[in-house]
Amino acid sequence: MDRFTSYTDPWHPHPLPGPLGAGPLPTDPQAVVLAAVWLLAAWSPDAAPGWRASFAAADALDGDPVPDVAALLAEWLPAPDARGRALREYLAGELGSQYVQLRHVPADDLVLLVHDWKDRTLRLTIAPAPAVAPPPDGSRLPSLMTLLSNQLWLNNNDPVTFRAFLGPRDVDAGPGAWWARTREEADDQAPDFRVYSPSDIRTALLNVARGGLNDLGADWNGEGGYPALPEHHIAAHLCHDLLDVLLERAEPGTVHGTGFLPVDWDNQEEGPEVGTVVFTGPRTVAVLDIDVSC
């Protein structure tokens, strides 16, 4: 089965496509910029004004400071719907972070140099195009996982990680057998699975995000339930799209799950630190791992 992980996954980072994959692994800030721009292209409707993006390493940091990153991106990257605007605002926040230096190089196209805390510089170029150029093949799931793991944290050091496996349904087997195909230790004992609805999994993903967002609980006084995830939050859009992509790929007749899947937030018990969902379709099977282990 084909494995999809984030570009910053500590276990098996997903390789970057094309010439980018021939260089060093991206830094975490670089991976977030790459993923956000590619996902913004994937989310752009067909009728959106056209643009294309390209990336390269830069040797020097020159150009002018950017006083208003959000306004500059809005000028070059149209986002006619809510999730596109949320993603563009998120990208602006990452580019304007106190942990990176951002410079604008005067040119006919939009050229930004992003120098991060690992002392590496990424050149992002946005140019007009007849239509929005599609992102690289196979980048959607890794981009979604990269952006989610960049926001969802278990503590100061460990992010929530996501891994997906997709492959043909070449045998008629239960969820435990598909689980076994995606484990590194073939002798692991398959856990017990039970039936979930896609709606259950959607709720579980949103609750995982709810528990992992540092900014969500910034003003929480510790009383009552932890704040719910706002529908407009970029993490909510990412969770929805992650599930929608897997449902579209597998077209499952059945969905089974095991482990950490917090469908009922108030009654979630301590237990396994990995949740696994198996989507079994007529031709394709998808397996999603949600890892909350430290």
Side-chain angles (χ1 to χ4, degrees), residues 154 159-163 260 273-275 289-294:
L154 304 167
V160 179
T161 55
F162 301 81
R163 303 174 187 113
F260 180 73
E273 295 181 322
V274 179
D289 284 342
I290 306 165
D291 191 339
V292 295
S293 60
C294 297

Side-chain angles (χ1 to χ4, degrees), residues 28-51:
D28 287 6
Q30 287 177 341
V32 169
V33 174
L34 293 165
V37 172
W38 285 338
L39 191 58
L40 191 59
W43 284 359
S44 294
D46 293 338
W51 54 272

Side-chain angles (χ1 to χ4, degrees), residues 3 11 15 28 64 136 154 176 179 181 197 209 232 235 275-276 286 291 294:
R3 177 173 54 213
W11 175 48
D28 287 6
D64 305 318
L154 304 167
W179 176 90
R181 283 197 182 190
S197 70
H232 64 271
T276 299
D291 191 339
C294 297

Side-chain angles (χ1 to χ4, degrees), residues 57-96:
D59 296 327
L61 184 67
D62 54 14
D64 305 318
V66 182
D68 192 337
V69 185
L72 187 60
L73 292 184
E75 178 183 347
W76 285 86
L77 298 173
D81 61 13
R83 70 175 183 176
R85 289 190 293 272
L87 180 54
R88 188 179 64 196
E89 290 171 6
Y90 177 74
L91 175 60
E94 292 296 313
L95 292 175

Side-chain angles (χ1 to χ4, degrees), residues 232-246:
H232 64 271
H233 198 289
I234 184 57
H237 293 297
L238 296 171
C239 289
H240 288 308
D241 198 47
L242 176 61
L243 178 59
D244 289 344
V245 169
L246 294 173

Side-chain angles (χ1 to χ4, degrees), residues 67 76 87 94 136 152 169 181 185 193-194 214 221 258 263 268 276 289 293:
W76 285 86
L87 180 54
E94 292 296 313
L152 308 185
R169 184 180 177 182
R181 283 197 182 190
E185 298 293 335
F193 282 82
R194 69 181 183 87
N214 290 334
N221 62 8
T258 189
V263 176
Q268 178 64 30
T276 299
D289 284 342
S293 60

